[in-house]
Amino acid sequence: MESTLDIFVKAIFSENMIFAYFLGMCSYLAVSKTVKTAVGLGLAVIFVLTVTVPVNYLLENYVLKQGALTWIDPKYAELDLSFLAFIMFIAVVASMVQLVEMLVEKFAPALYGALGIFLPLIAVNCSILGGALFMQERQYSTILDATAFSLGSGIGWFIAIVAIAAIREKLRYSNVPGPLRGLGITFIVTGLMGIAFMSFMGIKYGEEVAEESAPTETSASDQTPENN
Amino acid sequence: MAFNKESNGFTFGFAIVLVIVLGVVLASLSEGLRPFKEKNVRVKKQLDILSAMLDIEKEGITRANAEDIFPKYVDLNDAIIINYKGQEIGKGKEAFEIDIKKEFRDKTLEEKDKRYPLFIAKESNKKRYIIPVVGKGLWGPIWGYLCLKEDMRTILGVSFDHKQETPGLGAEINKKFFMEQWKSSQISNDQGMFQKYEVVKDMSGKKSDTDNAIDGITGGTITSKGVEEMVNRTLKLYSIYFKSKM
Amino acid sequence: MSTEKVSKEPLFSKKNKKLITDPVTDNNPITIQVLGICSALAITVQVSQAVVMSLSVLFVMIMGNLIISLLRHMIPSRIRIIVQLLIVASLVIVVDQVLAAFLPDLSAKLSVFVGLIITNCIIMGRLEAFAMGNKPWPSILDGFGNAIGYGVILIIVAVFRELLGSGTLMGYPLLGDSITGTGLYSIGYMNNNLMILPPMALIIVGIIIWVQRSRNKELIEEH
């Protein structure tokens, strides 16, 4: 199965939240006008993702899914609360964002002012809830995997938004036709960046190399203790 | 309205009532729909198993009638469960309940605890063996079923499926043109030793004559190779069981 | 409220009609308001997915707007956002459960994106901007209009992607069969596989924005 490192690297490059799954587009488009705000929001997203996904992982595995509550009492083995997942996940996310908001206001008031409404909007940023939902769907088996996934996704999102912000700053000096200016050209450039990121699909992950070099005849007898 | 909706008491009360109402509505909906959801999962599995053995479109088997038709071909009481060494460790209906996708993904599950189901079916009055397989594609899991003839060696048919492989490329593994190629190939030689499959880019590039060669999907190399790995890893195991039955 | 006349506005008065037509063109949630982009791009590989997604959003928006509008005088302002979030999340759970029970194949294809309707900025945006301050019937119309505006863009993008990428529409092969080489494929036409991949959705929406702004010069940005 995939190693933790594979999950981490995949989340940054070939399964990038923005380029492969389009999560977090709204704030991505709105806050990428300057690199400074992009960096600020990107860091906030990394933080929120890396904290909320593991917490939601614990919720999913110890409260929500079928048989999760057996640590309280074995008779709960049939109980399946996973239909409450959406509500609980978003509650965790909303509280975390509230916390981040308070921290940023206290320690980086200038950034707080620059980000404005977009900080509380991280709560409804698809990438945060999406991260939790992907974690649930892929059923990562350890909390380390879930954390690697969320940290990687956050970093991937960060790279995407800083890159597009840098490009947009330069684009302002180009001669973009009227109707395409601003939003339109950003979409197209993001599409092109997405195509570029697809090249990462070719990365060969660790274990597949080992599989191919095992010869047939001996491996069949590897399994049985007696050799014929 | 006379009361103050901003008061602490009302705020608190409103929140509690809302949560209770929502909780009750959602819980009843979820419970009420549960039999439908479970049936859907069960029927899908039955369809997948049958599609390795027959052309379900031609036979007219759909989600609507699968539950009735399935027992006519597969008697779950005959199903067998084997372990990672190819030894029989169980029998019967519980084989159907084993979620091999989950076991494949679960890193905390040790090899020795993994269970591999084998379904025994009857078709055209002959015994058929159906093996579930699961593996990794490019974007997500891939899986399928392999159906062997009564000689426990020759493939009668296969069915593959995937969650989110690239449409038009890797996603084509569930199309007839790819799955037909596996028919009539032999998974083991006369001595019962496993014969590996190889998915190649062009048929003249086979590594050796004894290997089974399957033409991969152009542009869907990683998914095709995923199918190869999945089939080889699983058949290697089951062939030990079949050899012990020879 | 001051001297409010209690005259009832006809159900489909000009003002009310505008609630439906505005979001489809001049105030389109996706291309003008820049909301709800995420799902618009991910769920447009096939028209059937786009249709189901649009219908789900339609249901959530209409019911959401209706419920919030009915409750608007009762919701304490401190927990306003949480209440909105709870209502939306619950409605989405309803949609998800119904899909899993009755349309399992589609439910599997849509997977996490049904859940992501909760974070679809359009829904929360309209609840806050409109339903909280308006009567139930106009709120229903507003929800309806925005959902249609959203659906229209989704379906346009999906039509392009499915037709050019797989040669089919709603699963029906329109251009012939690519494997056996009939129809258009016999003269060497090949599916543009790039259309099926995520980046093309972005480019298509970019082009739609281009077209929209060319027709309505007021929308052009300064820089």
Side-chain angles (χ1 to χ4, degrees), chain A residues 28-224:
Chain A
Y28 169 87
L29 291 169
V31 187
S32 53
K33 294 210 171 113
T34 65
V35 175
K36 253 194 156 150
T37 47
V39 168
L41 188 63
L43 289 174
V45 166
I46 293 182
F47 180 75
V48 176
L49 257 180
T50 317
V51 172
T52 56
V53 173
V55 171
N56 281 325
Y57 171 87
L58 292 173
L59 254 185
E60 163 77 6
N61 283 294
Y62 293 106
V63 176
L64 293 173
K65 70 176 190 202
Q66 186 164 27
L69 282 171
T70 47
W71 53 275
I72 296 184
D73 194 316
K75 73 167 191 265
Y76 289 130
E78 280 297 304
L79 190 62
D80 183 4
L81 291 175
S82 50
F83 66 95
L84 284 178
F86 293 160
I87 292 188
M88 307 233 46
F89 288 171
I90 197 89
V92 168
V93 170
S95 350
M96 266 304 130
V97 170
Q98 189 79 330
L99 185 66
V100 170
E101 226 188 316
M102 296 195 299
L103 288 175
V104 170
E105 191 179 5
K106 191 146 202 255
F107 296 111
L111 183 61
Y112 184 76
L115 286 178
I117 188 79
F118 290 105
L119 202 37
L121 274 186
I122 297 184
V124 281
N125 184 328
C126 338
S127 60
I128 314 287
L129 184 62
L133 292 178
F134 274 129
M135 172 276 302
Q136 180 193 45
E137 192 193 45
R138 292 178 195 169
Q139 298 175 326
Y140 287 121
S141 36
T142 66
I143 196 170
L144 188 61
D145 280 353
T147 314
F149 165 69
S150 56
L151 185 60
S153 302
I155 295 180
W157 202 89
F158 176 84
I159 294 179
I161 197 175
V162 172
I164 193 73
I167 294 179
R168 282 183 89 177
E169 276 190 359
K170 291 277 191 281
L171 267 184
R172 240 178 275 149
Y173 302 110
S174 323
N175 211 357
V176 183
L180 257 188
R181 237 180 270 149
L183 197 63
I185 196 73
T186 307
F187 265 95
I188 297 188
V189 169
T190 310
L192 293 174
M193 286 168 77
I195 297 180
F197 263 68
M198 285 184 73
S199 60
F200 288 116
M201 280 195 328
I203 297 183
K204 206 164 179 127
Y205 294 104
E207 356 162 37
E208 286 170 40
V209 182
E211 279 287 347
E212 285 176 39
S213 53
T216 358
E217 301 305 316
T218 46
S219 45
S221 48
D222 270 347
Q223 299 268 346
T224 50

Side-chain angles (χ1 to χ4, degrees), chain B residues 198-233:
Chain B
E198 200 196 332
V199 169
V200 294
K201 287 208 168 165
D202 111 61
M203 292 303 268
S204 62
K206 286 204 295 188
K207 280 216 187 103
S208 87
D209 276 329
T210 50
D211 281 351
N212 292 304
I214 304 282
D215 198 2
I217 295 175
T218 316
T221 314
I222 299 187
T223 312
S224 307
K225 279 299 197 183
V227 173
E228 174 194 295
E229 187 275 330
M230 164 171 91
V231 170
N232 284 336
R233 170 178 29 91

Side-chain angles (χ1 to χ4, degrees), chain C residues 43-108:
Chain C
I43 303 295
T44 46
V45 181
Q46 290 177 321
V47 178
S48 54
Q49 289 176 345
V51 169
V52 171
M53 190 59 162
S54 308
L55 290 175
S56 308
V57 169
L58 186 69
F59 173 77
V60 175
M61 285 206 74
I62 292 184
M63 294 304 292
N65 268 15
L66 177 62
I67 294 177
I68 292 290
S69 179
L70 287 172
L71 292 178
R72 75 189 185 281
H73 294 306
M74 288 212 303
I75 304 176
S77 37
R78 264 185 303 178
I79 55 171
R80 205 174 76 240
I81 302 283
I82 299 183
V83 169
Q84 289 170 4
L85 215 42
L86 272 178
I87 303 278
V88 174
S90 307
L91 286 169
V92 172
I93 293 181
V94 168
V95 170
D96 185 48
Q97 295 287 309
V98 168
L99 279 180
F102 299 112
L103 286 176
D105 294 320
L106 265 168
S107 169

